[in-house]
Amino acid sequence: MLRMVVDRLRQFRRSEGFKYSIATHSRLSLFARQQLNRGVFSIEIRENCGFFAIMQMVLFILVHCEENRLTPRVSARGGLYGDPEGKIDWFSELFENVRPASAAMLSSRVRTSTVRDPVQLGFRQRYDAGLRLQNASDLFRSYYRPTGSIREEVAAVCAKLDISQSTLGVHFRGTDKKFEAMPLSWPDFCHLVAQTLSINPRLTNIFVSSDDPAFIEFFLQWPFNCPVKVAPAKLLSTGNKPIHFSGYPGLQIGREALVSSLLLSNCGYLVKMPSYLSAWSKIFNPGLPVTLAVPPRPKEFWFPDSQIWLSQQRAAPGNVG
């Protein structure tokens, strides 16, 4: 009994609600500091979480700035994707701003606040439920796009692997994702991929991306009766440890994650398990048809996969409205 109580207390202390409550003071201090910038919201992210979890933070910052008529200035240093000294702004290494700098940003001293945990901003609690896929895509792409070298790399890989509108993209996130998504066996997932091919005859080849080498080997043995190309990932997980905790160079991990998401976004259809990486393929290409194999778990029911799942359920045969 005592052990059960202790486990529940530990779970509560790790919960986002608890962390959000204890971060109230630092959150108020951050917003008070940013008010001094007079129209500029300047945030430096130093977070040790997944690449696209950080992209979620960037998206929430843009929503906040649009709502409050602020000019965002976002950077990201250190953490899992930067250099150990934190000298390189790795976000700017991967994305370029498509909007010119505002007069306020150029003419005055801008105070930058460092964020080490999403609860310091509190934006997920405020904005996540209201986000919609098309609007989020329009918003992000109105501020940022991948750098030229990233776009060139994606175009070269698409040409080499014949990734086009006739390609069925497949993404299976393994490792730690089993704690965040409802389970689905590898054979059941492959059956879903085969079913998608059968009802979409325009799809003539498959492009598969996964962090799990064992799944890729299993997938390649499945009789899909069409060519299957594998994402040119150099970094793969070991055991149950996700890639971003596997000790690879940070900038290389971030670049490969972004390229993988963009490659999936260039396919004509996407079948996926819950994952921020492949969900962001829909942000990069809002016209991409997507089938989400299973929903995220209730406590992990976050945008974009939450909206992909809900849209999918509304469109299912027999549903009205």
Side-chain angles (χ1 to χ4, degrees):
M1 181 66 179
L2 178 60
R3 185 173 182 178
M4 184 183 298
V5 172
V6 171
D7 287 343
R8 287 184 177 180
L9 285 173
R10 286 175 177 170
Q11 186 177 11
F12 174 71
R13 288 177 63 85
R14 290 195 298 266
S15 70
E16 188 159 327
F18 177 75
K19 292 191 291 184
Y20 180 84
S21 64
I22 64 174
T24 300
H25 176 73
S26 63
R27 189 163 52 250
L28 293 175
S29 297
L30 183 150
F31 285 109
R33 177 180 175 83
Q34 287 304 305
Q35 285 181 347
L36 300 174
N37 284 336
R38 297 183 180 181
V40 176
F41 193 71
S42 182
I43 300 295
E44 180 177 283
I45 300 171
R46 289 181 177 259
E47 169 63 70
N48 286 317
C49 63
F51 181 87
F52 283 97
I54 293 177
M55 295 300 295
Q56 294 285 101
M57 293 177 64
V58 175
L59 179 59
F60 292 144
I61 289 169
L62 298 182
V63 173
H64 174 76
C65 289
E66 286 290 300
E67 184 178 271
N68 294 278
R69 298 183 180 180
L70 301 172
T71 299
R73 188 171 80 170
V74 180
S75 58
R77 299 178 186 274
L80 298 175
Y81 306 104
D83 60 305
E85 297 78 20
K87 296 179 179 179
I88 299 174
D89 175 7
W90 61 259
F91 182 74
S92 295
E93 292 286 312
L94 301 175
F95 291 93
E96 58 190 31
N97 199 321
V98 299
R99 295 192 181 189
S102 68
M105 191 181 295
L106 294 173
S107 62
S108 62
R109 174 177 174 266
V110 174
R111 301 160 183 81
T112 299
S113 298
T114 299
V115 173
R116 301 183 185 277
D117 192 293
V119 298
Q120 286 182 261
L121 293 170
F123 287 162
R124 183 153 76 173
Q125 290 81 356
R126 187 184 306 177
Y127 297 127
D128 188 274
L131 285 174
R132 297 296 179 266
L133 292 163
Q134 184 67 58
N135 291 343
S137 174
D138 292 343
L139 176 62
F140 183 83
R141 294 187 299 152
S142 73
Y143 280 96
Y144 298 109
R145 67 178 179 182
T147 60
S149 66
I150 296 286
R151 300 197 304 273
E152 290 172 5
E153 180 178 347
V154 170
V157 175
C158 284
K160 180 180 180 180
L161 300 184
D162 193 27
I163 298 173
S164 67
Q165 288 301 298
S166 62
T167 302
L168 174 59
V170 173
H171 184 243
F172 190 94
R173 169 74 184 275
T175 62
D176 61 325
K177 213 58 183 177
K178 62 186 178 183
F179 302 111
E180 301 174 21
M182 302 303 290
L184 186 68
S185 70
W186 292 356
D188 285 345
F189 184 77
C190 289
H191 278 300
L192 176 60
V193 172
Q195 181 184 25
T196 304
L197 284 171
S198 67
I199 62 179
N200 293 277
R202 65 183 178 83
L203 302 173
T204 57
N205 65 322
I206 296 174
F207 170 73
V208 60
S209 177
S210 177
D211 61 342
D212 190 334
F215 168 78
I216 292 176
E217 184 177 348
F218 180 89
F219 190 87
L220 291 174
Q221 299 303 314
W222 198 268
F224 290 114
N225 297 320
C226 72
V228 179
K229 301 292 179 66
V230 179
K234 299 177 182 178
L235 312 177
L236 294 172
S237 299
T238 54
N240 288 325
K241 186 178 293 185
I243 291 174
H244 48 281
F245 291 125
S246 298
Y248 297 116
L251 287 171
Q252 191 176 351
I253 300 173
R255 185 182 182 98
E256 191 163 287
L258 176 58
V259 168
S260 295
S261 182
L262 291 168
L263 289 172
L264 291 168
S265 77
N266 277 270
C267 294
Y269 200 108
L270 174 61
V271 174
K272 64 189 279 325
M273 290 291 283
S275 167
Y276 276 147
L277 184 151
S278 49
W280 265 76
S281 299
K282 183 74 171 175
I283 302 298
F284 294 131
N285 177 13
L288 175 68
V290 179
T291 292
L292 185 57
V294 294
R297 294 186 185 275
K299 290 185 178 180
E300 305 293 337
F301 201 69
W302 304 115
F303 184 87
D305 273 333
S306 61
Q307 285 300 309
I308 292 174
W309 180 257
L310 291 174
S311 297
Q312 182 173 304
Q313 294 303 103
R314 287 192 293 266
N319 287 350
V320 179

mmCIF file of all heavy atoms in Angstrom, residues 39 62-71 123 126-127:
data_model
loop_
_atom_site.group_PDB
_atom_site.id
_atom_site.type_symbol
_atom_site.label_atom_id
_atom_site.label_comp_id
_atom_site.label_asym_id
_atom_site.label_seq_id
_atom_site.Cartn_x
_atom_site.Cartn_y
_atom_site.Cartn_z
ATOM 1 N N GLY A 39 7.110 45.139 -27.984
ATOM 2 C CA GLY A 39 6.697 44.598 -29.269
ATOM 3 C C GLY A 39 7.505 43.434 -29.774
ATOM 4 O O GLY A 39 7.174 42.859 -30.818
ATOM 5 N N LEU A 62 4.839 31.398 -31.818
ATOM 6 C CA LEU A 62 4.279 32.140 -32.950
ATOM 7 C C LEU A 62 2.797 32.434 -32.736
ATOM 8 O O LEU A 62 2.327 33.529 -33.070
ATOM 9 C CB LEU A 62 4.477 31.355 -34.243
ATOM 10 C CG LEU A 62 5.923 31.074 -34.661
ATOM 11 C CD1 LEU A 62 5.947 30.323 -35.994
ATOM 12 C CD2 LEU A 62 6.731 32.360 -34.756
ATOM 13 N N VAL A 63 2.059 31.467 -32.173
ATOM 14 C CA VAL A 63 0.642 31.698 -31.883
ATOM 15 C C VAL A 63 0.497 32.840 -30.879
ATOM 16 O O VAL A 63 -0.341 33.739 -31.049
ATOM 17 C CB VAL A 63 -0.011 30.415 -31.330
ATOM 18 C CG1 VAL A 63 -1.438 30.699 -30.860
ATOM 19 C CG2 VAL A 63 -0.025 29.318 -32.387
ATOM 20 N N HIS A 64 1.316 32.824 -29.837
ATOM 21 C CA HIS A 64 1.281 33.884 -28.825
ATOM 22 C C HIS A 64 1.586 35.246 -29.441
ATOM 23 O O HIS A 64 0.918 36.247 -29.129
ATOM 24 C CB HIS A 64 2.292 33.561 -27.721
ATOM 25 C CG HIS A 64 2.455 34.641 -26.707
ATOM 26 N ND1 HIS A 64 1.527 34.894 -25.710
ATOM 27 C CD2 HIS A 64 3.439 35.564 -26.524
ATOM 28 C CE1 HIS A 64 1.928 35.903 -24.971
ATOM 29 N NE2 HIS A 64 3.083 36.327 -25.444
ATOM 30 N N CYS A 65 2.577 35.277 -30.314
ATOM 31 C CA CYS A 65 2.967 36.552 -30.930
ATOM 32 C C CYS A 65 1.870 37.074 -31.861
ATOM 33 O O CYS A 65 1.591 38.287 -31.889
ATOM 34 C CB CYS A 65 4.281 36.384 -31.680
ATOM 35 S SG CYS A 65 5.710 36.167 -30.583
ATOM 36 N N GLU A 66 1.240 36.183 -32.622
ATOM 37 C CA GLU A 66 0.154 36.613 -33.486
ATOM 38 C C GLU A 66 -1.009 37.146 -32.666
ATOM 39 O O GLU A 66 -1.619 38.156 -33.020
ATOM 40 C CB GLU A 66 -0.314 35.432 -34.349
ATOM 41 C CG GLU A 66 0.621 35.063 -35.472
ATOM 42 C CD GLU A 66 0.642 36.103 -36.579
ATOM 43 O OE1 GLU A 66 -0.419 36.368 -37.182
ATOM 44 O OE2 GLU A 66 1.727 36.668 -36.834
ATOM 45 N N GLU A 67 -1.310 36.478 -31.582
ATOM 46 C CA GLU A 67 -2.437 36.880 -30.728
ATOM 47 C C GLU A 67 -2.194 38.225 -30.067
ATOM 48 O O GLU A 67 -3.127 39.006 -29.860
ATOM 49 C CB GLU A 67 -2.653 35.812 -29.665
ATOM 50 C CG GLU A 67 -3.858 36.043 -28.768
ATOM 51 C CD GLU A 67 -4.043 34.925 -27.761
ATOM 52 O OE1 GLU A 67 -4.723 33.945 -28.084
ATOM 53 O OE2 GLU A 67 -3.482 35.036 -26.651
ATOM 54 N N ASN A 68 -0.924 38.523 -29.752
ATOM 55 C CA ASN A 68 -0.604 39.744 -29.010
ATOM 56 C C ASN A 68 0.146 40.781 -29.848
ATOM 57 O O ASN A 68 0.681 41.742 -29.307
ATOM 58 C CB ASN A 68 0.233 39.376 -27.773
ATOM 59 C CG ASN A 68 -0.552 38.554 -26.778
ATOM 60 O OD1 ASN A 68 -1.319 39.086 -25.981
ATOM 61 N ND2 ASN A 68 -0.375 37.233 -26.813
ATOM 62 N N ARG A 69 0.179 40.567 -31.171
ATOM 63 C CA ARG A 69 0.819 41.511 -32.097
ATOM 64 C C ARG A 69 2.273 41.789 -31.711
ATOM 65 O O ARG A 69 2.718 42.932 -31.618
ATOM 66 C CB ARG A 69 0.022 42.808 -32.166
ATOM 67 C CG ARG A 69 -1.400 42.605 -32.697
ATOM 68 C CD ARG A 69 -2.151 43.917 -32.819
ATOM 69 N NE ARG A 69 -3.509 43.717 -33.333
ATOM 70 C CZ ARG A 69 -4.383 44.688 -33.545
ATOM 71 N NH1 ARG A 69 -4.025 45.955 -33.286
ATOM 72 N NH2 ARG A 69 -5.589 44.426 -34.012
ATOM 73 N N LEU A 70 3.002 40.712 -31.505
ATOM 74 C CA LEU A 70 4.411 40.784 -31.144
ATOM 75 C C LEU A 70 5.260 40.234 -32.282
ATOM 76 O O LEU A 70 4.800 39.414 -33.085
ATOM 77 C CB LEU A 70 4.688 39.982 -29.872
ATOM 78 C CG LEU A 70 3.919 40.384 -28.618
ATOM 79 C CD1 LEU A 70 4.152 39.362 -27.503
ATOM 80 C CD2 LEU A 70 4.326 41.780 -28.158
ATOM 81 N N THR A 71 6.499 40.662 -32.347
ATOM 82 C CA THR A 71 7.447 40.120 -33.308
ATOM 83 C C THR A 71 8.285 39.054 -32.613
ATOM 84 O O THR A 71 8.985 39.352 -31.641
ATOM 85 C CB THR A 71 8.377 41.218 -33.847
ATOM 86 O OG1 THR A 71 7.597 42.210 -34.522
ATOM 87 C CG2 THR A 71 9.403 40.633 -34.805
ATOM 88 N N PHE A 123 2.455 27.653 -22.706
ATOM 89 C CA PHE A 123 1.663 27.845 -23.918
ATOM 90 C C PHE A 123 0.895 26.594 -24.336
ATOM 91 O O PHE A 123 -0.128 26.690 -24.989
ATOM 92 C CB PHE A 123 2.559 28.292 -25.071
ATOM 93 C CG PHE A 123 3.033 29.715 -24.948
ATOM 94 C CD1 PHE A 123 4.129 30.168 -25.672
ATOM 95 C CD2 PHE A 123 2.381 30.617 -24.112
ATOM 96 C CE1 PHE A 123 4.563 31.487 -25.576
ATOM 97 C CE2 PHE A 123 2.805 31.932 -23.997
ATOM 98 C CZ PHE A 123 3.899 32.366 -24.728
ATOM 99 N N ARG A 126 -2.394 26.599 -22.879
ATOM 100 C CA ARG A 126 -3.213 27.710 -23.376
ATOM 101 C C ARG A 126 -3.652 27.516 -24.823
ATOM 102 O O ARG A 126 -4.782 27.861 -25.185
ATOM 103 C CB ARG A 126 -2.431 29.015 -23.246
ATOM 104 C CG ARG A 126 -3.252 30.252 -23.576
ATOM 105 C CD ARG A 126 -2.410 31.521 -23.528
ATOM 106 N NE ARG A 126 -1.711 31.689 -22.265
ATOM 107 C CZ ARG A 126 -0.872 32.701 -22.007
ATOM 108 N NH1 ARG A 126 -0.621 33.600 -22.955
ATOM 109 N NH2 ARG A 126 -0.275 32.787 -20.839
ATOM 110 N N TYR A 127 -2.767 26.956 -25.661
ATOM 111 C CA TYR A 127 -3.020 26.991 -27.100
ATOM 112 C C TYR A 127 -3.254 25.633 -27.754
ATOM 113 O O TYR A 127 -3.831 25.576 -28.850
ATOM 114 C CB TYR A 127 -1.848 27.670 -27.815
ATOM 115 C CG TYR A 127 -1.633 29.106 -27.427
ATOM 116 C CD1 TYR A 127 -0.387 29.561 -26.994
ATOM 117 C CD2 TYR A 127 -2.679 30.038 -27.485
ATOM 118 C CE1 TYR A 127 -0.189 30.895 -26.647
ATOM 119 C CE2 TYR A 127 -2.480 31.365 -27.138
ATOM 120 C CZ TYR A 127 -1.229 31.788 -26.714
ATOM 121 O OH TYR A 127 -1.036 33.098 -26.366
#
